[in-house]
Amino acid sequence: KHSGNVTFDAIINIARVLRSKSMAKQLVGTVKEVLGTAFSVGCTVNGQSPHDIQKAIDAGELAVPEE
């Protein structure tokens, strides 16, 4: 388990690096993949659960850049 905290900007940067390996059609899908991994290892994002961040993205409360 990982007990660290990662910023949302870092998650977006990680998703950009992994974009070419992802099967997602858009960057937002790759961001969600990275958030799922963060959840699996027990990491928080901006002090929140990665699951809550995914919900905020789905609800349109948190924007993910196009690329």
Side-chain angles (χ1 to χ4, degrees):
K1 289 286 183 180
H2 189 280
S3 60
N5 183 52
V6 181
T7 65
F8 186 64
D9 288 338
I11 294 290
I12 290 174
N13 288 335
I14 292 166
R16 284 185 175 131
V17 170
L18 297 175
R19 185 76 182 100
S20 63
K21 298 178 186 178
S22 173
M23 297 299 287
K25 291 182 179 182
Q26 297 177 330
L27 182 63
V28 67
T30 309
V31 168
K32 288 181 181 181
E33 289 175 358
V34 174
L35 286 169
T37 302
F39 182 79
S40 294
V41 298
C43 206
T44 57
V45 179
N46 290 347
Q48 297 180 294
S49 166
H51 187 69
D52 293 339
I53 300 290
Q54 284 183 341
K55 283 184 182 177
I57 290 169
D58 290 339
E61 298 167 5
L62 193 57
V64 176
E66 292 294 318
E67 285 303 320

